[in-house]
Short mmCIF file of all heavy atoms in Angstrom, two decimals:
data_model
loop_
_atom_site.label_atom_id
_atom_site.label_comp_id
_atom_site.label_asym_id
_atom_site.label_seq_id
_atom_site.Cartn_x
_atom_site.Cartn_y
_atom_site.Cartn_z
N ILE A 50 16.25 14.21 -24.56
CA ILE A 50 16.69 13.39 -23.43
C ILE A 50 18.06 12.68 -23.67
O ILE A 50 18.89 12.47 -22.75
CB ILE A 50 15.64 12.30 -23.13
CG1 ILE A 50 15.85 11.73 -21.76
CG2 ILE A 50 15.57 11.28 -24.24
CD1 ILE A 50 14.70 10.82 -21.25
N ASP A 54 20.87 13.36 -20.96
CA ASP A 54 21.19 12.25 -20.08
C ASP A 54 22.17 11.28 -20.65
O ASP A 54 22.77 10.50 -19.87
CB ASP A 54 19.89 11.40 -19.75
CG ASP A 54 19.04 12.25 -18.70
OD1 ASP A 54 19.45 13.38 -18.36
OD2 ASP A 54 17.98 11.80 -18.44
N PHE A 301 7.73 14.94 -24.06
CA PHE A 301 6.99 13.90 -23.52
C PHE A 301 7.82 12.82 -22.85
O PHE A 301 7.43 12.21 -21.86
CB PHE A 301 6.06 13.25 -24.57
CG PHE A 301 5.03 12.32 -24.09
CD1 PHE A 301 3.90 12.81 -23.53
CD2 PHE A 301 5.16 10.96 -24.21
CE1 PHE A 301 2.92 11.88 -23.09
CE2 PHE A 301 4.16 10.02 -23.81
CZ PHE A 301 3.03 10.57 -23.18
N ALA A 302 9.03 12.52 -23.42
CA ALA A 302 9.96 11.55 -22.80
C ALA A 302 10.36 11.94 -21.40
O ALA A 302 10.33 11.08 -20.47
CB ALA A 302 11.11 11.26 -23.77
N LEU A 303 10.76 13.25 -21.36
CA LEU A 303 11.04 13.71 -19.96
C LEU A 303 9.91 13.61 -18.99
O LEU A 303 10.00 13.36 -17.76
CB LEU A 303 11.58 15.07 -20.03
CG LEU A 303 12.97 15.28 -20.76
CD1 LEU A 303 13.28 16.74 -20.99
CD2 LEU A 303 14.02 14.63 -19.96
N PHE A 304 8.70 14.00 -19.48
CA PHE A 304 7.50 13.99 -18.64
C PHE A 304 7.16 12.58 -18.16
O PHE A 304 6.90 12.39 -16.98
CB PHE A 304 6.32 14.57 -19.45
CG PHE A 304 5.06 14.49 -18.75
CD1 PHE A 304 4.74 15.43 -17.75
CD2 PHE A 304 4.03 13.60 -19.12
CE1 PHE A 304 3.53 15.39 -17.11
CE2 PHE A 304 2.80 13.57 -18.41
CZ PHE A 304 2.49 14.54 -17.50
N CYS A 305 7.20 11.56 -19.08
CA CYS A 305 6.99 10.21 -18.61
C CYS A 305 7.98 9.79 -17.68
O CYS A 305 7.78 8.92 -16.72
CB CYS A 305 6.91 9.31 -19.86
SG CYS A 305 5.50 9.43 -20.87
N THR A 306 9.32 10.03 -17.91
CA THR A 306 10.35 9.57 -17.14
C THR A 306 10.41 10.17 -15.72
O THR A 306 10.49 9.37 -14.72
CB THR A 306 11.78 9.86 -17.76
OG1 THR A 306 11.73 9.29 -19.04
CG2 THR A 306 12.91 9.38 -17.03
N TYR A 307 10.18 11.44 -15.60
CA TYR A 307 10.29 12.11 -14.23
C TYR A 307 9.08 12.41 -13.57
O TYR A 307 8.82 12.13 -12.45
CB TYR A 307 11.18 13.39 -14.41
CG TYR A 307 12.57 13.02 -14.90
CD1 TYR A 307 13.04 13.45 -16.17
CD2 TYR A 307 13.47 12.36 -14.14
CE1 TYR A 307 14.37 13.22 -16.56
CE2 TYR A 307 14.78 11.98 -14.48
CZ TYR A 307 15.21 12.45 -15.84
OH TYR A 307 16.50 12.12 -16.16
N THR A 308 8.14 13.07 -14.31
CA THR A 308 6.89 13.50 -13.64
C THR A 308 6.00 12.35 -13.33
O THR A 308 5.35 12.26 -12.29
CB THR A 308 6.17 14.56 -14.47
OG1 THR A 308 7.03 15.63 -14.86
CG2 THR A 308 5.02 15.09 -13.84
N LEU A 309 5.77 11.38 -14.34
CA LEU A 309 4.92 10.21 -14.19
C LEU A 309 5.66 9.07 -13.51
O LEU A 309 5.03 8.20 -12.94
CB LEU A 309 4.38 9.80 -15.53
CG LEU A 309 3.40 10.76 -16.23
CD1 LEU A 309 2.90 10.15 -17.55
CD2 LEU A 309 2.25 11.23 -15.38
N GLY A 310 6.99 9.08 -13.60
CA GLY A 310 7.69 8.06 -12.91
C GLY A 310 7.84 6.71 -13.69
O GLY A 310 8.18 5.62 -13.12
N PHE A 311 7.60 6.78 -14.98
CA PHE A 311 7.52 5.57 -15.88
C PHE A 311 8.89 5.64 -16.75
O PHE A 311 8.85 5.67 -17.94
CB PHE A 311 6.34 5.50 -16.77
CG PHE A 311 5.11 5.43 -16.00
CD1 PHE A 311 4.01 6.27 -16.27
CD2 PHE A 311 4.90 4.62 -14.88
CE1 PHE A 311 2.84 6.21 -15.57
CE2 PHE A 311 3.71 4.60 -14.18
CZ PHE A 311 2.68 5.38 -14.48
N ARG A 312 10.05 5.54 -16.05
CA ARG A 312 11.28 5.59 -16.75
C ARG A 312 11.47 4.49 -17.80
O ARG A 312 12.02 4.74 -18.88
CB ARG A 312 12.41 5.50 -15.73
CG ARG A 312 13.87 5.45 -16.35
CD ARG A 312 14.92 5.44 -15.22
NE ARG A 312 14.95 6.70 -14.64
CZ ARG A 312 15.80 7.67 -15.07
NH1 ARG A 312 16.48 7.52 -16.12
NH2 ARG A 312 15.89 8.84 -14.51
N ASN A 313 10.95 3.31 -17.56
CA ASN A 313 11.18 2.20 -18.37
C ASN A 313 9.92 1.88 -19.33
O ASN A 313 9.82 0.88 -20.05
CB ASN A 313 11.51 0.90 -17.67
CG ASN A 313 12.80 1.00 -16.92
OD1 ASN A 313 13.78 1.51 -17.32
ND2 ASN A 313 12.81 0.53 -15.55
N PHE A 315 8.18 4.70 -21.12
CA PHE A 315 7.83 5.86 -21.91
C PHE A 315 7.82 5.50 -23.41
O PHE A 315 7.13 5.95 -24.16
CB PHE A 315 8.75 7.07 -21.73
CG PHE A 315 10.05 7.12 -22.29
CD1 PHE A 315 10.30 7.49 -23.59
CD2 PHE A 315 11.24 6.64 -21.55
CE1 PHE A 315 11.52 7.54 -24.16
CE2 PHE A 315 12.52 6.68 -22.17
CZ PHE A 315 12.62 7.10 -23.49
N GLY A 445 19.64 12.68 -13.41
CA GLY A 445 19.02 12.52 -12.17
C GLY A 445 17.96 11.40 -12.12
O GLY A 445 17.20 11.25 -13.20
N CYS A 446 17.79 10.66 -11.12
CA CYS A 446 16.80 9.59 -11.03
C CYS A 446 15.41 10.25 -10.81
O CYS A 446 14.41 9.78 -11.15
CB CYS A 446 17.07 8.60 -10.00
SG CYS A 446 18.54 7.56 -10.25
N SER A 447 15.40 11.36 -10.13
CA SER A 447 14.26 12.23 -10.00
C SER A 447 14.66 13.75 -10.20
O SER A 447 15.77 14.04 -10.26
CB SER A 447 13.65 11.98 -8.61
OG SER A 447 14.63 12.37 -7.61
N ASN A 453 9.19 19.26 -12.42
CA ASN A 453 7.92 18.50 -12.71
C ASN A 453 6.81 19.48 -13.03
O ASN A 453 6.01 19.12 -13.92
CB ASN A 453 7.63 17.69 -11.50
CG ASN A 453 8.53 16.46 -11.38
OD1 ASN A 453 9.12 15.94 -12.34
ND2 ASN A 453 8.91 16.08 -10.12
#
Side-chain angles (χ1 to χ4, degrees):
I50 197 170
D54 288 357
F301 194 74
L303 292 172
F304 177 73
C305 287
T306 299
Y307 296 114
T308 306
L309 299 180
F311 300 134
R312 175 177 287 272
N313 298 320
F315 79 86
C446 293
S447 60
N453 290 326

